[in-house]
Amino acid sequence: MKKPNARQPKTGGPTQKGQCAKRVSILDAAADVFCREGFAGASIDEIAMEACVSRQTVYNHYREKETLFMAVVQDIMDRANAALFSILATFPDNGENLEDDLTAFAVRLNKNCVCNHDGKFIRKLVQTEGERYPHLFEIWRQQGPGKIGTALSALFARLSHVARLDIDDFDLAAKQFLALVNADLPASGFFGGAPTDEELEKAARAAVRTFLRAYGGKPATGAGQELREEPV
Amino acid sequence: MKKPNARQPKTGGPTQKGQCAKRVSILDAAADVFCREGFAGASIDEIAMEACVSRQTVYNHYREKETLFMAVVQDIMDRANAALFSILATFPDNGENLEDDLTAFAVRLNKNCVCNHDGKFIRKLVQTEGERYPHLFEIWRQQGPGKIGTALSALFARLSHVARLDIDDFDLAAKQFLALVNADLPASGFFGGAPTDEELEKAARAAVRTFLRAYGGKPATGAGQELREEPV
DNA sequence: GTAAAATTAGACACCATTGTCTAATTCGTC
DNA sequence: GACGAATTAGACAATGGTGTCTAATTTTAC
């Protein structure tokens, strides 16, 4: 009955979809609730309540539950990507202090991309809903581990020129580095609270040490590998 | 009105709760559906249909949805534990062929515990429902990674006597070994189909090589580390 | 202040799900 | 075949969710 290009009703939803307070408030609340309850378990009413907003406002901004869900995912992805590039941009160019540089890098990566709220959220969501939305799984694989992997791979390729690194397969080394960095974290990045700074630092140091024992052509300080222990 | 110790009704549910065909059929179907849809998204009707059983039969065997859910979790845990011990029992006692032994071990571990249906199921479930049922999370952590970790740690302690292994922290080495073994698997053990035998073998070999480059006191065949490449 | 836009509370139809109940039917065993 | 146990289909009330609608109210811009 109603023509698709009918005149907008005098009263109703917002006209410009830019960032306003209500909009981000809804997005944040939705992220929380979706993460806690999953897609099926999350109720719009709960999201609205947590956002201190009426249900109708939620529907005004996001046409239906699935629209809201996808908006949440996109938002998280964008944030995580920004964080990743910001970290990569600050890696020192020279190959001196490789162990310390890698450790600091690993700490920042975990702290701002992998173990933080966004990282845990997106992984949980992909595992929960990835089968229902293959699109979601694919996006995550490309923009998440894929992007980190290739960036890290390129980093190692660059480093292997300045520092002495004995790597024959950069992609593999990148994956192994990431795996090692997360090996010693409590609950392996699952929920249960973010790891403390000490835990992050300790895990990163252990990972980098093993990584360099495997791939580092020459030990940084000389002979053995049990020499540098002090700076904790 | 009804006394708790009232006489059983003449007709109704099953009397002995042992393993009968219907019972395991329900359990299997429930595992499938819970894994696919999560706790909230799974419907008893769907489970009953997939088990080729009437809804009432489901309720006869498992009083309510949560009872069924917990039974499923317990069942999976038991199976995974049995598989783990069966694998550990067959590790060779002598330290010869350490690289091959570790590789074979890693393949079997991934194939029968980590990457198989049960492993993926339980991890997904823990991540989805662990916050709602902390009890579930705790059980998994102790019986899953915890058990594998301590077993592996003990294995390395034993091996470091017969073979030449330069490990100072067995727990850490165990965690790193597990992480490395899963580093190169497509989708990191997420869903999307189990990895093929070739992928498992390749990932295990790469992991063990890196692990031994870091922790192996002496290379098995002599000088460099890029000598043995043939047997794929 | 006023008019338009945004928001709100609440009612509403609709649908799916849980868990119960009953009467009929099948299965297994003697 | 007969008996009791197990199973089935279907109806059922209760609950809680989605998405729409409306009329009133608040916020924002001019």
Side-chain angles (χ1 to χ4, degrees):
Chain A
M1 249 343 152
K2 179 176 52 172
K3 292 193 200 137
N5 51 359
R7 174 178 50 84
Q8 310 271 1
K10 273 208 299 278
T11 173
T15 51
Q16 45 101 16
K17 304 279 170 162
Q19 299 303 48
C20 67
K22 299 267 176 192
R23 208 176 162 78
V24 317
S25 163
I26 293 172
L27 223 48
D28 284 354
D32 256 29
V33 178
F34 277 134
C35 187
R36 211 170 45 229
E37 318 277 351
F39 182 80
S43 94
I44 302 283
D45 285 306
E46 195 175 351
I47 293 171
M49 231 175 56
E50 194 161 317
C52 298
V53 140
S54 79
R55 175 175 58 242
Q56 188 55 49
T57 301
V58 177
Y59 281 109
N60 283 341
H61 283 272
Y62 304 94
R63 193 165 40 82
E64 55 187 1
K65 199 180 181 183
E66 198 166 316
T67 313
L68 175 57
F69 178 72
M70 287 306 180
V72 166
V73 170
Q74 192 58 57
D75 187 49
I76 304 273
M77 286 292 194
D78 291 347
R79 277 215 298 267
N81 253 328
L84 172 63
F85 280 117
S86 140
I87 294 173
L88 276 171
T90 66
F91 199 99
D93 268 339
N94 58 348
E96 312 161 15
N97 291 330
L98 188 55
E99 179 162 357
D100 288 342
D101 290 346
L102 279 177
T103 303
F105 173 76
V107 168
R108 297 188 63 194
L109 191 67
N110 267 342
K111 194 166 185 165
N112 299 311
C113 285
V114 179
C115 289
N116 70 342
H117 196 271
D118 288 354
K120 287 190 288 187
F121 172 86
I122 201 66
R123 253 170 296 132
K124 176 169 175 179
L125 222 48
V126 163
Q127 202 160 46
T128 312
E129 314 292 345
E131 217 150 358
R132 191 189 315 275
Y133 305 101
H135 172 69
L136 168 61
F137 176 63
E138 203 44 43
I139 285 188
W140 167 81
R141 211 170 51 90
Q142 284 168 14
Q143 299 199 10
K147 212 157 231 169
I148 297 186
T150 55
L152 205 51
S153 172
L155 178 66
F156 284 144
R158 207 184 74 201
L159 285 179
S160 70
H161 286 127
V162 283
R164 188 138 336 151
L165 281 180
D166 190 16
I167 298 177
D168 52 340
D169 183 339
F170 296 118
D171 284 344
L172 176 65
K175 286 180 197 159
Q176 290 183 337
F177 181 82
L178 283 175
L180 283 173
V181 163
N182 287 288
D184 197 25
L185 285 179
S188 290
F190 271 15
F191 55 94
T196 68
D197 282 8
E198 288 80 29
E199 288 169 335
L200 280 178
E201 176 82 18
K202 182 159 157 283
R205 198 156 287 280
V208 170
R209 189 174 306 162
T210 296
F211 185 80
L212 288 183
R213 273 170 74 158
Y215 286 118
K218 70 164 192 332
T221 5
Q225 53 250 10
E226 60 280 2
L227 277 184
R228 48 200 177 303
E229 284 289 341
E230 334 75 42
V232 181
Chain B
M1 238 357 144
K2 179 175 55 174
K3 293 193 197 141
N5 51 359
R7 173 176 52 82
Q8 310 272 1
K10 273 209 297 279
T11 173
T15 50
Q16 43 104 16
K17 304 279 171 163
Q19 298 304 46
C20 67
K22 300 269 177 192
R23 209 176 162 79
V24 317
S25 162
I26 293 172
L27 222 49
D28 284 354
D32 256 28
V33 178
F34 276 133
C35 186
R36 212 170 44 229
E37 318 278 350
F39 181 81
S43 93
I44 301 284
D45 285 307
E46 197 176 349
I47 293 172
M49 231 174 56
E50 195 161 318
C52 299
V53 141
S54 79
R55 173 173 61 243
Q56 188 55 50
T57 301
V58 177
Y59 281 109
N60 282 343
H61 282 273
Y62 304 95
R63 194 164 40 81
E64 56 186 0
K65 199 179 179 182
E66 198 166 316
T67 313
L68 175 57
F69 178 73
M70 287 306 182
V72 166
V73 171
Q74 191 59 57
D75 187 49
I76 304 273
M77 286 293 196
D78 290 347
R79 277 215 298 266
N81 253 328
L84 172 63
F85 280 117
S86 141
I87 295 174
L88 277 170
T90 67
F91 200 98
D93 269 338
N94 59 347
E96 312 163 14
N97 292 329
L98 187 55
E99 180 163 355
D100 289 341
D101 289 346
L102 277 178
T103 303
F105 173 76
V107 169
R108 298 187 63 194
L109 191 67
N110 267 342
K111 194 165 184 167
N112 299 312
C113 284
V114 179
C115 290
N116 70 343
H117 195 272
D118 288 353
K120 288 191 288 188
F121 172 86
I122 201 67
R123 254 171 295 133
K124 176 169 175 179
L125 221 50
V126 162
Q127 201 160 46
T128 312
E129 314 293 346
E131 216 150 0
R132 191 190 315 275
Y133 304 100
H135 171 68
L136 168 61
F137 176 64
E138 203 44 44
I139 284 189
W140 168 80
R141 211 171 51 89
Q142 285 168 13
Q143 298 199 10
K147 211 157 233 170
I148 296 187
T150 55
L152 205 51
S153 173
L155 177 67
F156 284 143
R158 208 184 71 201
L159 285 178
S160 70
H161 285 127
V162 282
R164 187 133 342 144
L165 281 180
D166 190 17
I167 299 176
D168 53 339
D169 183 338
F170 294 118
D171 284 345
L172 176 65
K175 285 180 198 161
Q176 290 183 335
F177 181 81
L178 283 175
L180 282 175
V181 163
N182 287 287
D184 196 24
L185 284 179
S188 292
F190 271 15
F191 55 93
T196 67
D197 282 7
E198 288 79 31
E199 289 170 334
L200 280 177
E201 176 81 19
K202 182 161 158 282
R205 198 156 286 280
V208 169
R209 190 174 305 163
T210 297
F211 185 81
L212 288 183
R213 274 170 74 158
Y215 286 119
K218 69 162 190 334
T221 5
Q225 52 253 8
E226 60 281 3
L227 279 184
R228 47 197 179 307
E229 283 289 341
E230 335 75 43
V232 179

